[in-house]
Amino acid sequence: HEESRAAWETGQPGTPTLPGGWLGRYLAANYGGSDIPGVNIRSSLAGEFRQSSTSILTFDNVRDFGFPYDWDFGSDRDEKRAAVLALAEEAAASAQGVLAHVGTSARATLLSSESYPALHDLYEADRSSFDAAYDGLGTSLADDLREMAKVIYGVTTGQPNVAARFFQAVNGGYDTHSDQGAGASDGQHTRLHHEVGDAIELFYQDCADMGVADKVCILVWSEFSRRVEQNDNGTDHGSQGPAFVIGGAVNGG
């Protein structure tokens, strides 16, 4: 699992010869320390996004993303914000590269933490029908894709300090070897595939309704595969597996 995941994340089967993740290398070449071009809907940085030149936000949801002020001492919040921003500005002006990078990324993160939470209320107010549809699916992947949709909607409506173009979420539960259900409508694999397919379908419809379907490209991959032939009650890992590329400008086939 780990070796296969590393190959997918770095874009390099075997021993990696290039640094970071395959998408991280693109971000490093095209964005600077004051930019935040990517968002990971998770608690840690995705391997595909690893690099050291620009910033990536990681959070579970936009509503709860914010600067960690101590709300027991909220009366001096403005002073604390000013102090943090001053430290970031001073570091950003440093001639020392690492310190300058820390300063510019800290400043960008602080500003984002003040802009992103508002995307939740904006989306709920303007796109209530899609918001309810995600609730109707009731899955973790649907929730994660909705968080992406909130950011995309923020970009399309010109919200300040919201400019992310690259996103990543992960969906688990696929390391099964038995009792998979074959083609049964209530089988384990059928349920898993519906969880992914239904969530992506709704997300794509959401993007299409925003008018950005032709600007969206979705890559779905798994870090391991399955054998086609079943054993007595399931399937073992195999050497091949599907990947899906979905988007309004994708020449499907």
Side-chain angles (χ1 to χ4, degrees):
H1 288 280
E2 291 300 323
E3 290 180 6
S4 181
R5 185 180 299 117
W8 275 98
E9 291 176 344
T10 63
Q12 301 175 86
T15 302
T17 58
L18 298 172
W22 66 269
L23 186 54
R25 293 192 291 273
Y26 174 83
L27 298 179
N30 290 276
Y31 295 91
S34 61
D35 300 318
I36 302 184
V39 169
N40 291 174
I41 310 298
R42 52 190 290 168
S43 59
S44 60
L45 182 69
E48 304 98 295
F49 284 68
R50 290 192 190 114
Q51 40 77 40
S52 57
S53 299
T54 189
S55 297
I56 304 295
L57 297 181
T58 63
F59 51 70
D60 292 326
N61 61 77
V62 296
R63 179 178 54 186
D64 296 334
F65 174 64
F67 189 84
Y69 293 107
D70 188 340
W71 292 105
D72 289 335
F73 301 92
S75 60
D76 58 349
R77 171 178 166 165
D78 290 343
E79 288 80 1
K80 291 175 181 176
R81 180 190 185 280
V84 170
L85 187 58
L87 287 171
E89 296 284 5
E90 182 178 355
S94 172
Q96 208 281 333
V98 173
L99 190 58
H101 174 66
V102 170
T104 54
S105 61
R107 178 176 56 200
T109 303
L110 175 61
L111 296 176
S112 294
S113 74
E114 297 170 343
S115 299
Y116 272 72
L119 301 179
H120 172 79
D121 290 337
L122 176 68
Y123 184 89
E124 281 199 336
D126 292 356
R127 306 192 62 75
S128 57
S129 61
F130 279 99
D131 187 48
Y134 286 107
D135 282 336
L137 291 181
T139 62
S140 61
L141 182 59
D143 290 344
D144 290 347
L145 293 180
R146 173 168 50 186
E147 296 307 307
M148 294 184 192
K150 292 175 184 177
V151 179
I152 292 172
Y153 188 58
V155 174
T156 62
T157 54
Q159 301 306 303
N161 301 311
V162 179
R165 293 295 196 280
F166 304 89
F167 305 88
Q168 195 267 6
V170 63
N171 198 44
Y174 297 87
D175 196 5
T176 58
H177 290 268
S178 61
D179 300 320
Q180 294 170 328
S185 60
D186 60 347
Q188 185 176 193
H189 264 206
T190 300
R191 293 196 305 270
L192 287 168
H193 292 157
H194 265 297
E195 181 176 340
V196 173
D198 293 348
I200 291 176
E201 180 183 26
L202 178 57
F203 174 72
Y204 185 80
Q205 291 171 346
D206 196 357
C207 291
D209 189 71
M210 292 183 208
V212 297
D214 286 351
K215 298 181 179 180
V216 171
C217 182
I218 304 168
L219 170 65
V220 185
W221 61 271
S222 170
E223 110 275 353
F224 66 90
S225 56
R226 288 284 172 197
R227 295 186 186 278
V228 174
E229 183 180 357
Q230 296 202 68
N231 54 30
D232 290 341
N233 56 9
T235 55
D236 294 321
H237 296 323
S239 59
Q240 299 182 48
F244 298 96
V245 182
I246 305 162
V250 172
N251 183 17

